[in-house]
Each structure stands twice: as structure tokens, then as C-alpha cells.
């Protein structure tokens, strides 16, 4: 399972991955690290070997499988003397007992030499200095779907398999003991992958001595105008499933955003929708994350639409005046929460400023992609410059060059009884049906 493109982890760290799982539960994983966000200049490679055991479906993150892993060996190969010096300094600053002499000062760089960081046999573990952990293997999901054939004039489709592994904590200090509840960007099956995928073959054929060098790409200018939408159901830590739709008005630097929240990993069971709007600052190149642009977004208005009985009950039982003008929420009916400075029950505060990181790219099908900064894993908000993200969420795809053209596509239609205003609303599920579903899950587990 190779990466599909150069990945950005919090820090920032730039890497590609290639994981191989055997039928006897053993695995071999390569993590290739780079100096640049295009994965063109390799720094060092980690070779990781161990064993993985799949357990039961996760009760925390629906659609995922929990797993246990055990590391047998972790080795490192440096691709430059500069990388060797940097890792040595990390070791000297943070290494525990038995790791201080891992690399002696002034030691010459040996190209292709594999240095042991972790060994289960000798009980040596010098990986902490790198902030290294493989907790991503504790949460696993495989998705299969069909992609239309890319060649002109061809009909039919081809199978695509993608591997989602657990997310990486945005705080480096929390990474070593964090247990994932969300996912990273998916890895591709070496056999059944998205086409075209020029990076897949380069990464698949690489090893610790020959790291993949992806083609250098020119950075695109930041042009936010138009409409951008999620390409799939997104999973965030703390069990949040959502899709996003943004409209940016470049002429006056205002924006609108729709956040559609769901209770399931396929985004088929809506819970509530948030509409927010405001304005944003002129972007400046990021000094911390090459290729990124720093902006500040101010949220000045917001509206909420509950979509299920549980959310309606929660909002109606909230403290009066803390979420909207009245405690008379009903499914499918939107209410403005600007006058109450947000909605306490949903953690929304108004007015509100967030310090963001953006970048734009083009994919292999020449579609424009927009990457927005990854949200803090602890659920907080990047409401100060020091909390500005150093990595990205799943990309949005540009769906219209001018605002308003895409609104019909993302408007949600819900069938069911009509509310007092004559609008369609969701029918709450009968209690008997909910009990039936619960029994099915118990029997299945």
C-alpha cells in the first residue's frame, strides 16, 4: 500500500509511506522523510518491521477496525550528512538511557548504512527522539469503490482499494501515547489504485536505500474565488463525520461555509448543518510550512439546522439564550445563532477568528484542489497565531468558478413529514427500530 502523493504531517513533516502486510500477520513498512513539501529531497528513511493483529469493529469510530501491533525492529538510513547531524542532535537532547551514544559526534556519514533504532530482542528503543510511533496501525479501514476508466472512449470501471490508518496527533508531545479516532489520507492498493497515479509506482518500487523522489512541482498561486466541496465523507478525531462546502468571494474577501454533520462514516445519516460566513485577510506565504499560505478568517454570522431527533432534543434542553433566539428547535428548520453569540451546546462562539493555513494544487486529472489547515486533535480552535496548523485536512475540489453555481448540488433533501412551516423535516426513528438495530450489532459482534 503506497502513498498517493507527498504527505504533510503536523510539525511540519513531509513524507511518503509504503506498507506491506503478509498473510502471517507480519508487516514491513517504509516511511520516507524529506526536507521539502514536494518530497523531492529525501532526508532519511525508517524501515519498520512487526506484527499486526486485527481485533473487533471499533465502538468509538464507526466503520473502523481496532488492531494490536508489536514492533520487532526499526532502522534508519540517512540520505545526507545533514540529516545524520540533525537526528544526532535530537538523540542527544531527548534520548533515554542506552541511546545517548547512538551516533558519536563527528561520526562520518555512511551512505546506505542501516542504524538500529529499536530491537525487541535487545529491548532497545531509541525512537522517542524522532517522535516516532506506529499507533496509526491501531485503527484500520479498507474502502473499495469503482472508478470510471480514465482513457477517452473507454466505458466501464475499475476497482479501487484504499487503506485508511489512524490519524497523527497535531501536538507532537501527545503523539507518542495518542490513540487515533480519525484517519490520515488513504494509501492505495498497489494493484487496485486510482488512475492515473504517477507517484504510486515510484513509491511502490522504492526501498530504504533508494527513496522515492517525486517530480518537483511549481507552487500554484493562491486563488480562493469560487466554490469548493468535499470529495468524500470526511472523518475527524472525536468521532465527527462531515462534508464541507465553501464559497469564496475574492472581490471583497468574504466567505460562506456549509458544514454538514452526520452520525455515520458514509455520511448518510445527517445530524445537523452549520452555515457560517464572514471575511478573510490577504494571504501571506507561510514561513513555517513551505508551499502554504497563512490567512486569518473571521466568523461573524452563523445558522444551525438540526436534522435528527437527538440534536433537536439537545438544543431544546440547552440554557435559554445560549443557542438561538428561542428553545423551539425542530428537525429541518434553520435558526440564526448570531444574536446569542453562537451556540454553547455545539461549541460555537461568535464573533470568532481562526488563523489558517491554505494551499492549492492540481491533481492528476487537472482538477483544482484546496487544502485547509488540519483541525487540532484536542477539539480546540486555532484562535491564536501560535495555534496555526502545520498540516492539512483532506482536500476540497473546485466545483464552480463563480459562487452560487453549485448551491443546488450540495443542498440536502430530506423526505418525511412536514413541519409547522410546511417545510420537509426528518422523521424520528421509532424506538422499537432503534432497539432492533442495537440487537443486530450485539449479535454481529
Amino acid at each position: 500500500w503506497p502513498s498517493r502523493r507527498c504527505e504533510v504531517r503536523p510539525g511540519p513533516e513531509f513524507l511518503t509511506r509504503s506498507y506491506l502486510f503478509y498473510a502471517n500477520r507480519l508487516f514491513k513498512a517504509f516511511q520516507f522523510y524529506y526536507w521539502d513539501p514536494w518530497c523531492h529531497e529525501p532526508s532519511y528513511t525508517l524501515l519498520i518491521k512487526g506484527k499486526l493483529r486485527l481485533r473487533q469493529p471499533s465502538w468509538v469510530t464507526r466503520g473502523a477496525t481496532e488492531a494490536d501491533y508489536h514492533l520487532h525492529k526499526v532502522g534508519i538510513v540517512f540520505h545526507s550528512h545533514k540529516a545524520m547531524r540533525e537526528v544526532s542532535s535530537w538523540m542527544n537532547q531527548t534520548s533515554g538511557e542506552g541511546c545517548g551514544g547512538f551516533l558519536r559526534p563527528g561520526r562520518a556519514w555512511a551512505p546506505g548504512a542501516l542504524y538500529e533504532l529499536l530491537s525487541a530482542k535487545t529491548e532497545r528503543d531509541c525512537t522517542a527522539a524522532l517522535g516516532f510511533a506506529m499507533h496509526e496501525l491501531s485503527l484500520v479501514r479498507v474502502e473499495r469503490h469503482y472508478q470510471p476508466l480514465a482513457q477517452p472512449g473507454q466505458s466501464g470501471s475499475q476497482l479501487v482499494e484504499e487503506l485508511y490508518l489512524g490519524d497523527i496527533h497535531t501536538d507532537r508531545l501527545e503523539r507518542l501515547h495518542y490513540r487515533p479516532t480519525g484517519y490520515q489520507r488513504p494509501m492505495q492498493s498497489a494493484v487496485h489504485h486510482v488512475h492515473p497515479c504517477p507517484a504510486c509506482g515510484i513509491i511502490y518500487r522504492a526501498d530504504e536505500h533508494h527513496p522515492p523522489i517525486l517530480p518537483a512541482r511549481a507552487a500554484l498561486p493562491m486563488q480562493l474565488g469560487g466554490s469548493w466541496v468535499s470529495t468524500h465523507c470526511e472523518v475527524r478525531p472525536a468521532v465527527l463525520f462531515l462534508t464541507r462546502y465553501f464559497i469564496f468571494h475574492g472581490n471583497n474577501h468574504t466567505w460562506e461555509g456549509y458544514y454538514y454533520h452526520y452520525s455515520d462514516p458514509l455520511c448518510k445519516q445527517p445530524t445537523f448543518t452549520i452555515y457560517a460566513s464572514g471575511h478573510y485577510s490577504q494571504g501571506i506565504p507561510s514561513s513555517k510550512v513551505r508551499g502554504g499560505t497563512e490567512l486569518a478568517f473571521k466568523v461573524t454570522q452563523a445558522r444551525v439546522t438540526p436534522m435528527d431527533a437527538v440534536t433537536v432534543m439537545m438544543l431544546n434542553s440547552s440554557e435559554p439564550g445560549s443557542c438561538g433566539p428561542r428553545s423551539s428547535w425542530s428537525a429541518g428548520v434553520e435558526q440564526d445563532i448570531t444574536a446569542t453569540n453562537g451556540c454553547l451546546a455545539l461549541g460555537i462562539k461568535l464573533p470568532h477568528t481562526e488563523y489558517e493555513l491554505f494551499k492549492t494544487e492540481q491533481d492528476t486529472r487537472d482538477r483544482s484542489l484546496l487544502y485547509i489547515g488540519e483541525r487540532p486533535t484536542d477539539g480546540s480552535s486555532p484562535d491564536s497565531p501560535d495555534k496555526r496548523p502545520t498540516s492539512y485536512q483532506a482536500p476540497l475540489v473546485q466545483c464552480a468558478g463563480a459562487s452560487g453555481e453549485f448551491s443546488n448540488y450540495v443542498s440536502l433533501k430530506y423526505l418525511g413529514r412536514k413541519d409547522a412551516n410546511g417545510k420537509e423535516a426528518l422523521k424520528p426513528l421509532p424506538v422499537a427500530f432503534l432497539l432492533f438495530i442495537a440487537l443486530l450489532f450485539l449479535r454481529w459482534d
Side-chain angles (χ1 to χ4, degrees), residues 288-424:
K288 196 168 187 179
V289 186
R290 287 173 59 190
T293 300
E294 295 180 354
L295 302 100
F297 276 75
K298 189 159 188 178
V299 188
T300 55
Q301 293 181 314
R303 302 194 295 264
V304 171
T305 308
M307 291 295 180
D308 68 347
V310 174
T311 306
V312 169
M313 185 168 57
M314 178 187 69
L315 294 177
N316 280 331
S317 61
S318 61
E319 184 180 342
S322 67
C323 185
R326 63 187 189 275
S327 297
S328 57
W329 294 89
S330 58
V333 179
E334 184 181 72
Q335 286 202 50
D336 197 308
I337 59 172
T338 306
T340 53
N341 297 322
C343 180
L344 188 62
L346 296 177
I348 303 171
K349 296 180 181 179
L350 296 175
H352 179 67
T353 300
E354 294 194 346
Y355 295 85
E356 271 295 359
L357 179 73
F358 276 46
K359 77 169 178 177
T360 53
E361 284 185 358
Q362 280 193 317
D363 66 7
T364 52
R365 288 185 280 173
D366 293 327
R367 298 181 304 173
S368 295
L369 302 179
L370 174 65
Y371 290 81
I372 300 178
E374 190 171 359
R375 316 313 294 167
T377 306
D378 62 7
S380 63
S381 172
D383 53 7
S384 62
D386 62 300
K387 290 184 178 179
R388 192 186 300 274
T390 56
S391 56
Y392 302 98
Q393 300 175 56
L396 306 173
V397 65
Q398 189 170 32
C399 50
S403 61
E405 295 178 19
F406 202 63
S407 57
N408 290 333
Y409 180 84
V410 296
S411 63
L412 300 181
K413 302 294 183 183
Y414 300 103
L415 301 176
R417 60 180 174 80
K418 296 185 182 284
D419 59 26
N421 298 320
K423 295 183 178 180
E424 288 185 342

Side-chain angles (χ1 to χ4, degrees), residues 22 36 87 98 150 210 236 261 274 295 424:
Y22 299 94
D36 66 301
V87 172
H210 307 90
R236 289 185 183 173
H261 291 257
I274 299 172
L295 302 100
E424 288 185 342

Side-chain angles (χ1 to χ4, degrees), residues 10-11 94 128 131 135 168-178:
T94 61
H135 299 327
I168 307 298
H169 203 289
T170 52
D171 185 342
R172 189 181 180 91
L173 298 177
E174 299 291 331
R175 188 183 296 182
L176 296 181
H177 53 80
Y178 169 67

